[in-house]
Amino acid sequence: MSGLNGKVVVITGASSGIGEATARLLAKRGVHIVIGARRLEKLEAIASAIRTEGGSVIVQQLDVTDLKQMQAIIDVAESHFGGIDAIVNNAGVMPLSPMDALKTEEWNQMIDVNIRGVLNGIAAGIPIMKKQGFGHFLNLASIGAYEVSPTAAVYCATKFAVRAITDGLRQEMAGQGIRVTLVAPGVTESELAGSITDNEAKELMKEYRRIALPASAIAHAIAYAIEQPTNVDVNEMVIRPVV
Ligand code: NDP
């Protein structure tokens, strides 16, 4: 029996890319998964494929910027499965642009989804995890949480913030049986670059995408952290393509 079998894991942003790959992998390994994102039809299609293979999955439409919706997906997971072993705060957006393009709406969107969304996952998760006396937060950052590059100032700022929040959370959860993991991927195949509207940023991204990792590589890293014995907390994982 693997350290994953029978666990209950909530995954945000599971309608594509890393979240979808993580959902598919964990379901194959016997995890009850609860998947959320805004595009319900994509979630339903993924859930249907998972069920065909014998997996256990619940779908919930979710906008992570809304704390009530985040609370609702946690409540659904708890009422169906009696508890939650882990929350993967994965939902994110990346409309890159140079700062002087003044795409202030896109800056705000990144702040809302990438920072507020993770905070909402934490806010919804802490009470149930404290009540249970166990739990695991896995927050998706990026190598952009360690270094900044042109067109990515605001995106990297949101990921620096996720890294700071995650480390603070880890320190504060000490002694409560709650594990905290930062997952920091390098460039990975997904729909993430699809939100870029700026031409300069689109061109730069084409170069990066040539070396992209498959989303399954990040899913395996997430599975590794979750399946460790409960006294093992994998704090930080940086996963880069070989160049
Ligand atoms: P995708 O664009 O493929 O996936 C992003 C997911 O987030 C989608 O399922 C999307 O679903 C969801 N999402 C976006 N906004 C919201 C919202 N407001 N509420 C709920 N869900 C939302 O990209 P990735 O798989 O690459 O991204 C996953 C995470 O990995 C992100 O945090 C990203 O920053 C991070 N990352 C990605 C890297 C890469 O190169 N791909 C590198 C480093 C980090 P929907 O539109 O249906 O809501």
Side-chain angles (χ1 to χ4, degrees):
M1 200 134 117
S2 90
L4 288 171
N5 201 19
K7 286 200 163 151
V8 178
V9 177
V10 175
I11 307 167
T12 73
S15 60
S16 62
I18 293 168
E20 175 183 352
T22 302
R24 288 178 184 273
L25 178 69
L26 294 183
K28 258 197 197 112
R29 307 263 312 261
V31 174
H32 301 289
I33 53 165
V34 182
I35 54 175
R38 293 164 306 172
R39 288 171 296 171
L40 196 53
E41 69 294 347
K42 292 209 79 176
L43 291 177
E44 295 287 9
I46 293 162
S48 156
I50 286 172
R51 288 188 192 112
T52 303
E53 292 186 5
S56 165
V57 54
I58 292 174
V59 163
Q60 175 86 8
Q61 192 165 36
L62 169 70
D63 183 337
V64 293
T65 65
D66 181 346
L67 178 58
K68 284 204 182 91
Q69 292 186 37
M70 195 66 226
Q71 189 62 58
I73 193 171
I74 299 299
D75 292 347
V76 162
E78 186 182 14
S79 64
H80 273 79
F81 299 118
I84 292 173
D85 292 284
I87 301 173
V88 184
N89 285 310
N90 165 76
V93 291
M94 191 188 68
L96 303 178
S97 61
M99 298 216 72
D100 65 3
L102 303 181
K103 292 186 181 274
T104 54
E105 286 299 320
E106 295 183 350
W107 301 349
N108 289 338
Q109 191 200 0
M110 283 187 276
I111 291 164
D112 279 344
V113 178
N114 300 1
I115 303 179
R116 238 183 282 284
V118 170
L119 286 171
N120 285 342
I122 291 168
I126 283 179
I128 176 174
M129 289 188 190
K130 285 184 83 158
K131 186 175 75 182
Q132 297 174 156
F134 65 87
H136 191 172
F137 291 101
L138 298 103
N139 297 337
L140 267 286
S142 164
I143 53 169
Y146 302 85
E147 56 200 58
V148 183
S149 53
T151 75
V154 179
Y155 178 74
C156 293
T158 65
K159 296 303 187 179
F160 270 64
V162 170
R163 186 172 155 218
I165 290 161
T166 304
D167 197 50
L169 180 68
R170 178 186 64 75
Q171 294 176 38
E172 292 182 21
M173 291 297 110
Q176 306 192 63
I178 298 171
R179 303 188 288 175
V180 182
T181 302
L182 185 81
V183 183
V187 62
T188 303
E189 285 164 10
S190 75
E191 297 180 6
L192 196 65
S195 62
I196 302 175
T197 58
D198 179 80
N199 287 334
E200 182 185 338
K202 269 188 199 162
E203 283 308 309
L204 278 172
M205 193 42 63
K206 275 186 198 157
E207 289 303 310
Y208 285 123
R209 301 219 82 78
R210 290 203 186 115
I211 53 160
L213 289 169
S216 60
I218 313 306
H220 280 284
I222 291 169
Y224 171 82
I226 298 174
E227 74 185 334
Q228 295 309 301
T230 51
N231 64 332
V232 177
D233 189 2
V234 179
N235 294 155
E236 213 165 291
M237 292 189 287
V238 180
I239 308 118
R240 295 175 199 259
V242 174
V243 286

